Structures are given as C-alpha cells and as structure tokens.
Amino acid sequence: MRLFVAALEPSSNLHLRNLKKELLQDYEIIGVCDSDIGNPIFLPSDFSIMGFVDVGRKILFFKKALKILSIEAAKSDKILLMDSSSFNIRLAKLIREINPNIEIMYYILPQVWAWKPWRATLIESLCDKLACIWKFELDYYKSKARYMGHPLLDIYKEEHVYNKDSRIFVFMPGSRKSEIKRLMVEYRILANMLLDMFKDCKLRIIIPEKFKDSNMEVYGNLDNFEICFSTQEGLSNAHFAFVCAGTATLEASLMGIPFVLVYKAKWIDYIIAKIFVRLKYVGLANIIYQAMQGGDMKRVGRDDLHLHDELLQSDCKAEKMLAAYRNFDYDKYFNNIHTLRKYLGHGSAKNVAKWLEER
C-alpha cells in the first residue's frame, strides 16, 4: 500500500511519527515528510517560510512542487494531508482533477475558525475524511468531520505536579530565525532582570532540534542560559515560561507550567494578519479556554475571556513580560488547566490511524 502524505510543518511530522506507530499495515510513505518517516519527494525544510512576504519569494517553487506532488499523489492508495492549508488545499484540488476517486483524509485541519470560514465548504467538497483535533471545529462541517482527540495528548499523557519552589525560568523564542532574532533582544534584557531579582534562579532556553548542530549563531550569546533541545524536557520542573506563540503554549498548559505568550512579527505581516484574522486572542490555551465555556462555538477566540496574558508586537517588551510574571493569576490558571485536559479528552493517533485504514 502506498500512502502519500503532505506534512510540511515540523509539528506535523512529530504527529505523523505517532500516527505511523498505530498503523496496522506496512505502507510505502511518500510525499513531504522527514526522511526517517518515509521516502520524501520533498523535505519539510524545502517549504520553510515566515510571513506573507516570504511566500512571494518562493511562489515559483510552490507551483513546481504542487505539480510534481499531485501527480505522485494520484498514483497512491491513500492521501493524508496535514495542516499547511494554503498549500494543501491547492494540492487537494489538483489531485481531484487527476484522480477524482482517490480517498483524501485531512488531519490537523485548516483553522477556519480563525479566518476564511468559507473554506470549510471547500475542504469538505475536496476531502473524504476530516479528522478534527478541536471539538468546536465540528460546528463548521456538515457530515465528513469526526473528533479524533488531540495529538499533543499522545505526547503529554500525564499531568505534571507544579513545583512552586523551582527557580527555573524557561525562554522559548520559536522555531524560525526571524522570530528568534526579534525575541532574543527582549529575552536578554528580561534575563538580566530576573538574575537581579533572584540570585539563585536558572535560565533555560529551548532550541529546536534542527538548530542543534548549526545555525546557533541566530541566538547570539547564550552564556546566561542552560540550553535544552526538547520542549518536554525544557519545560519540566519550570517555575515560569515565556513562550513564543504556537503549539508550545498548549504544551506548557498540558504540563501545568505557568507562562505568558510573547510574539513579535514583521509589521507588514502583523497588519495583514489583523485584516484577515478575526481573533482577539491567538494562544491555543486561550482559545480552548473560551471553547470550554460553551455558547456560540463560532465566537471562539473572539471573546474577552482568557487564561493567560498575551504580549504582541509593541507590547512584547521585557518590562511587560516581567509584569505579566509578577501579576500572574495562579489560582485561575491551575483551576482551569485540569478542565482543559479533560475537554481535549485523549490523544488522536490511534483514532486517526484506524479511520485512515477503514474503507
């Protein structure tokens, strides 16, 4: 059996590894994935971009990749698309033109609840199986969507006990060079503030595995930091974390680590995002927190309720990060992260694998 996958993001490949373990058949896996998972036609790193401006620079490559991948996908027995909606929706259209009868599953669906909700109808017309990782996504689809569980619960299976006496402060500057450069300036200022406040504190920085043997220069001087290459290990036993927006915010919540979300994009990217993305809060833990309250699921991310602070753009300053730490509402946070885990329920890998293999 030949399984075509389009997993362009590092996080998608992490979840794809867990999914592969649950598959009952041996598949020849091709498409876009890390080389330890299958036989990729392209690697995820080939598609690495940051922001709307970077897309324009690689548009010719994307067109060429779409053509090559759609032809190979159409020859496969099954199709699995993961995340990366701008690319994968176009890929699904091309595959349907070549082979209208091939089965397509979409796992880690486009965030139609954040922007372009009309895409839900398009996605449902192109795909046969929609594997949801958020319960509130079901409100956007008519008949092809099922809630599978959340992939992070395949990794963070147990709650951690918070160590209030720990003096480990964790810094997560993201996984893209432009993100890292912007945040490290403020992180260094904040690090010096914390060292002045707590003489016995430890500063730990989490660096993606892909930077382990090269590209470390983007971080600058790290003499004050203990370096860790694993999110799970890096957050372990932490007192507080300063987390770049993304999946890591939900990881911190599942591990029971208090944190503030910090993010600073290029201004042109931020302005474009503000025009199209109708969200008041961008942190996944905040979005789930709103979903847990019930009511209109199509207002998730748009209400004022929030579990943790978010410091974006001009608010992303060391002084405000320190203030967010000092004013953190621990009672509210710990009372709700237990409910958050129950709301998500369970991991998704086993359910997705079973549904993928069903005829």
Side-chain angles (χ1 to χ4, degrees):
M1 293 285 284
R2 194 184 202 209
L3 173 63
F4 176 93
V5 299
L8 280 61
E9 295 288 337
S11 58
S12 298
N13 282 270
L14 175 65
H15 303 319
L16 181 57
R17 286 185 186 88
N18 289 327
L19 171 60
K20 184 180 178 182
K21 294 174 187 175
E22 300 293 341
L23 293 171
L24 298 178
Q25 297 188 56
D26 284 331
Y27 288 88
E28 178 195 357
I29 298 177
I30 66 162
V32 185
C33 62
D34 287 334
S35 54
D36 65 300
I37 296 175
N39 301 309
I41 300 167
F42 295 100
L43 293 170
S45 57
D46 296 328
F47 297 85
S48 179
I49 58 170
M50 183 59 192
F52 296 94
V53 176
D54 287 351
V55 174
R57 295 175 184 155
K58 298 192 76 169
I59 195 162
L60 291 177
F61 165 75
F62 290 144
K63 286 183 176 179
K64 179 182 177 181
L66 280 167
K67 184 176 181 180
I68 293 170
L69 291 170
S70 60
I71 292 170
E72 291 304 315
K75 300 174 186 175
S76 301
D77 296 291
K78 291 181 181 290
I79 309 288
L80 178 65
L81 309 179
M82 299 182 70
D83 210 348
S84 306
S85 59
S86 296
F87 187 87
N88 277 335
I89 290 175
R90 289 177 173 85
L91 180 59
K93 287 180 180 178
L94 291 173
I95 295 169
R96 279 282 176 245
E97 289 174 6
I98 301 170
N99 186 347
N101 300 315
I102 195 166
E103 183 180 275
I104 301 177
M105 172 185 273
Y106 210 135
Y107 173 39
I108 309 179
L109 290 163
Q111 295 177 343
V112 296
W113 41 271
W115 72 319
K116 296 183 180 179
W118 51 264
R119 290 179 300 168
T121 302
L122 174 61
I123 294 162
E124 199 154 24
S125 71
L126 293 170
C127 302
D128 302 283
K129 298 175 179 178
L130 305 178
C132 296
I133 64 170
W134 312 107
K135 290 180 181 178
F136 57 83
E137 285 181 309
L138 296 171
D139 285 30
Y140 289 85
Y141 299 99
K142 292 181 180 179
S143 60
K144 296 181 179 179
R146 294 184 192 175
Y147 179 63
M148 297 285 103
H150 198 280
L152 283 181
L153 288 182
D154 291 315
I155 303 167
Y156 300 95
K157 297 181 180 180
E158 298 179 359
E159 290 189 56
H160 290 241
V161 177
Y162 175 63
N163 183 357
K164 65 179 181 179
D165 297 321
S166 166
R167 277 288 179 257
I168 300 173
F169 291 89
V170 174
F171 297 76
M172 300 187 71
S175 60
R176 295 179 173 91
K177 289 184 179 180
S178 53
E179 291 175 341
I180 295 164
K181 286 179 180 178
R182 280 187 285 271
L183 274 178
M184 285 307 299
V185 174
E186 297 301 326
Y187 274 177
R188 281 197 185 81
I189 298 171
L190 177 60
N192 289 328
M193 291 176 173
L194 291 170
L195 288 169
D196 288 340
M197 286 177 62
F198 307 106
K199 301 301 181 185
D200 61 338
C201 76
K202 293 182 180 179
L203 309 179
R204 182 184 293 163
I205 188 166
I206 299 177
I207 294 176
E209 184 76 24
K210 66 181 180 180
F211 292 132
K212 191 170 186 177
D213 299 317
S214 62
N215 299 315
M216 291 284 285
E217 67 276 1
V218 70
Y219 292 90
N221 189 326
L222 294 175
D223 288 347
N224 286 330
F225 296 91
E226 170 193 319
I227 298 172
C228 186
F229 295 99
S230 161
T231 299
Q232 194 168 12
E233 291 177 14
L235 286 171
S236 181
N237 204 37
H239 174 65
F240 198 86
F242 304 91
V243 183
C244 180
T247 306
T249 58
L250 184 54
E251 291 179 273
S253 299
L254 292 174
M255 287 191 68
I257 306 300
F259 71 97
V260 58
L261 181 154
V262 294
Y263 191 72
K264 193 172 185 179
K266 294 176 184 176
W267 273 107
I268 183 64
D269 289 335
Y270 181 73
I271 291 167
I272 294 171
K274 286 291 285 183
I275 293 171
F276 293 105
V277 181
R278 305 296 185 183
L279 295 179
K280 287 186 178 180
Y281 290 95
V282 299
L284 291 178
N286 278 336
I287 288 167
I288 299 169
Y289 177 66
Q290 290 186 10
M292 284 160 43
Q293 313 308 313
D296 184 359
M297 289 295 103
K298 292 191 177 183
R299 284 199 55 78
V300 167
R302 294 167 172 79
D303 289 323
D304 293 320
L305 293 168
H306 62 284
L307 186 59
H308 60 83
D309 286 344
E310 298 185 1
L311 302 175
L312 309 178
Q313 294 305 103
S314 57
D315 287 330
C316 188
K317 297 290 185 183
E319 295 82 3
K320 292 195 174 185
M321 294 181 202
L322 185 63
Y325 160 63
R326 283 174 161 165
N327 299 322
F328 194 81
D329 189 337
Y330 289 90
D331 288 338
K332 176 183 177 181
Y333 181 72
F334 287 118
N335 285 339
N336 283 285
I337 58 172
H338 300 298
T339 310
L340 183 151
R341 179 180 278 271
K342 289 179 181 178
Y343 174 82
L344 293 175
H346 46 75
S348 58
K350 185 174 290 187
N351 290 332
V352 173
K354 181 179 178 182
W355 198 21
L356 178 70
E357 295 189 296
E358 283 180 5
R359 292 190 178 183

